[in-house]
């Protein structure tokens, strides 16, 4: 196979280069792609690029000889699953001609990985439009986080929504139940976060974003540390079951990996049911504090909900969607007498 040049289509506008290759050349490994990009064999409009470079409609992508079968072409349409289509429809909180807002349930992965048979990204293939285009994820949630998930129906809308997220015009509000009572009751968490131990490159081969997120744990870092990224979250206590736990509303200003979970742990009030950030070391005196013990009737599932998403709609106007409590959080709210209709003080927090 010789050098080939391909034009970025309207459907591919805004797509990252690595995603473009995954779509065009499913059999190309991530390591091979990284090599040909790093060595400058892949060019966009004649310029060197990175795998994270976003493409624009009309750009030319130079692809070197790959010696792969099949040769470069769009991925064949997957088999349509009526069950997946029904399940996606059942999750839908809002839909128009451009986008869908889903209520992602606890425990369902957003993207696939090794051993991952069912996930939102794969299920979306069951809803192609009249041109055969499938809906596109705009952002992600951890597997055990429930709530609002935004999906675009075309690549163009996905690119527009991605730009809105990157410009921080999207307002996200999360609800969490945390151990103890944060002091002060309202505040701002501003920390540098970096990858913790065991979060380097996987030597056994490429993994999906979902796999990497499952393995990762963020740690509090110092400004200037390698890979350290600034992260900001506003929080407000909505109600408490003193002194054992509190219901927090949280507004992330940045979008770092596991940001809310790491921030809750950093202020000494990990989210209930968090297997990664909620385990206290044996030396921590709060580990066996009977006054802060969580009742055994509370399900040991992550009590974190992507409650509300507010952002400008690409076609104009405002998109404002709220997700209901997942069953395990509703049971806990009922147990502690919390009312989901109660005023949420985070609404008055800075944008």
């Amino acid at each position: 196979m010789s050098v080939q040049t391909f034009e970025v289509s309207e459907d591919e506008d805004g797509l990252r280069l690595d995603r473009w290759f995954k779509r065009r050349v499913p059999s190309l490994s991530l390591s091979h792609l990284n090599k040909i990009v790093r060595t400058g064999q892949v060019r966009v409009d004649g310029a060197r690029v990175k795998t994270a470079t976003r493409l624009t409609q009309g750009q030319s992508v130079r692809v070197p000889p790959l010696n792969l079968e099949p040769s470069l072409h769009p991925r064949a349409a997957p088999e349509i699953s009526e069950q997946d289509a029904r399940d996606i429809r059942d999750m839908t909180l809002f839909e128009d001609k451009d986008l869908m807002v889903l209520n992602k349930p606890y425990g369902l992965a957003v993207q696939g990985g090794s051993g991952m048979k069912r996930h939102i990204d794969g299920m979306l293939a069951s809803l192609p439009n009249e041109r055969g285009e499938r809906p596109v994820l705009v952002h992600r949630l951890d597997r055990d986080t429930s709530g609002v998930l935004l999906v675009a129906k075309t690549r163009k809308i996905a690119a527009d929504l991605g730009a809105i997220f990157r410009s921080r015009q999207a307002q996200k509000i999360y609800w969490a139940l945390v151990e103890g009572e944060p002091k002060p009751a309202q505040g701002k968490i501003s920390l540098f976060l970096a990858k913790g131990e065991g979060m380097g490159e996987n030597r056994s081969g490429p993994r999906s974003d979902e796999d990497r997120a499952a393995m990762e744990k963020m740690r509090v870092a110092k400004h200037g540390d390698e890979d350290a990224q600034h992260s900001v979250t506003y929080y407000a206590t909505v109600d408490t079951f003193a002194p054992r736990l509190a219901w927090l509303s949280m507004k992330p200003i940045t979008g770092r990996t596991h940001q809310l979970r790491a921030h809750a742990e950093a202020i000494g009030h990990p989210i209930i049911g968090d297997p990664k950030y909620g385990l206290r070391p044996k030396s921590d005196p709060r580990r066996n504090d009977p006054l802060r013990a969580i009742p055994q009737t509370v399900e040991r599932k992550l009590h974190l909900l992507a409650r509300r998403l507010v952002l400008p709609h690409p076609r104009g106007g405002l998109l404002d969607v709220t997700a209901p409590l997942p069953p395990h959080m509703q049971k806990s709210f009922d147990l502690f007498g919390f009312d989901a209709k109660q005023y949420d003080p985070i609404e008055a927090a800075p944008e």
Side-chain angles (χ1 to χ4, degrees):
M1 177 174 139
S2 60
V3 172
Q4 299 186 63
T5 301
F6 296 85
E7 183 175 313
V8 178
S9 68
E10 179 182 3
D11 181 43
E12 295 166 338
D13 185 59
L15 203 62
R16 280 174 44 136
L17 183 66
D18 53 357
R19 297 294 183 190
W20 184 88
F21 268 96
K22 183 177 181 181
R23 193 166 183 246
R24 292 271 188 155
V25 198
S27 58
L28 182 66
S29 70
L30 181 60
S31 59
H32 190 176
L33 174 61
N34 286 335
K35 179 180 179 180
I36 60 177
V37 170
R38 185 176 62 253
T39 55
Q41 297 180 64
V42 175
R43 302 267 177 154
V44 175
D45 286 348
R48 295 177 72 115
V49 288
K50 297 180 179 180
T51 55
T53 298
R54 293 191 179 273
L55 302 174
T56 302
Q57 180 183 356
Q59 285 184 319
S60 296
V61 181
R62 177 195 184 275
V63 180
L66 298 175
N67 298 319
L68 294 174
E69 292 294 340
S71 59
L72 214 78
H73 60 78
R75 187 192 296 253
E79 183 179 345
I80 302 301
S81 167
E82 294 184 3
Q83 183 62 54
D84 284 351
R86 285 194 296 270
D87 289 346
I88 290 291
R89 295 299 184 195
D90 288 343
M91 295 178 205
T92 302
L93 297 169
F94 172 84
E95 181 178 8
D96 62 20
K97 66 178 183 179
D98 297 308
L99 54 84
M100 306 168 67
V101 183
L102 306 181
N103 178 25
K104 191 194 84 65
Y106 168 88
L108 180 61
V110 172
Q111 289 185 301
S114 55
M116 190 73 62
K117 294 183 178 180
R118 201 160 191 256
H119 47 83
I120 296 288
D121 193 35
M123 296 167 69
L124 290 174
S126 65
L127 298 172
N129 62 18
E130 63 279 1
R131 297 191 300 275
E133 301 170 340
R134 48 156 293 164
V136 182
L137 292 168
V138 176
H139 66 125
R140 288 182 285 275
L141 297 175
D142 292 343
R143 185 185 310 176
D144 291 343
T145 300
S146 309
V148 176
L149 183 69
L150 184 59
V151 175
K153 291 188 175 180
T154 66
R155 294 285 178 187
K156 179 62 171 64
I157 293 297
D160 293 341
L161 290 169
I164 289 171
F165 270 79
R166 290 191 296 275
S167 65
R168 297 184 183 174
Q169 297 179 68
Q171 179 186 125
K172 295 175 283 185
I173 294 177
Y174 289 73
W175 281 1
L177 293 189
V178 302
E179 296 181 20
E181 297 178 79
K183 305 292 184 182
Q186 299 185 25
K188 173 184 176 182
I189 306 169
S190 178
L191 297 169
F192 284 89
L193 296 177
K195 295 178 181 179
E197 294 183 8
M199 294 177 59
E201 292 295 325
N202 173 37
R203 303 302 179 185
S204 62
R207 287 179 177 266
S208 70
D209 292 340
E210 191 76 27
D211 279 339
R212 287 192 291 270
M215 295 172 62
E216 292 174 352
K217 180 174 181 179
M218 306 303 288
R219 61 177 175 81
V220 176
K222 295 180 181 179
H223 179 52
D225 286 356
E226 184 179 0
D227 296 328
Q229 294 181 306
H230 190 222
S231 58
V232 177
T233 301
Y234 288 94
Y235 74 89
T237 302
V238 184
D239 206 346
T240 65
F241 186 77
R244 296 185 177 184
L245 56 86
W247 163 16
L248 293 191
S249 185
M250 308 178 80
K251 181 187 290 187
I253 305 303
T254 52
R256 310 306 181 198
T257 299
H258 296 172
Q259 177 173 316
L260 299 183
R261 298 164 66 181
H263 278 188
E265 181 190 51
I267 62 172
H269 301 279
I271 297 173
I272 291 173
D274 192 333
K276 190 182 298 289
Y277 295 89
L279 299 177
R280 299 189 183 280
K282 293 181 179 180
S283 58
D284 191 324
R286 295 169 293 187
R287 180 183 175 96
N288 298 311
D289 184 354
L291 293 179
R292 293 183 60 170
I294 305 302
Q296 293 298 315
T297 50
V298 175
E299 291 189 58
R300 292 309 189 259
K301 294 180 178 179
L302 185 67
H303 281 58
L304 179 61
L305 167 70
R307 171 67 173 178
R308 185 179 175 194
L309 178 65
V310 184
L311 76 163
H313 194 292
R315 302 284 189 187
L318 194 68
L319 179 69
D320 187 345
V321 184
T322 298
L325 291 166
H328 69 283
M329 287 186 68
Q330 184 63 65
K331 287 173 61 177
S332 296
F333 268 55
D334 292 342
L335 178 65
F336 300 116
F338 296 154
D339 183 359
K341 297 179 181 179
Q342 188 169 332
Y343 170 70
D344 185 351
I346 204 70
E347 294 178 7
E351 294 300 322

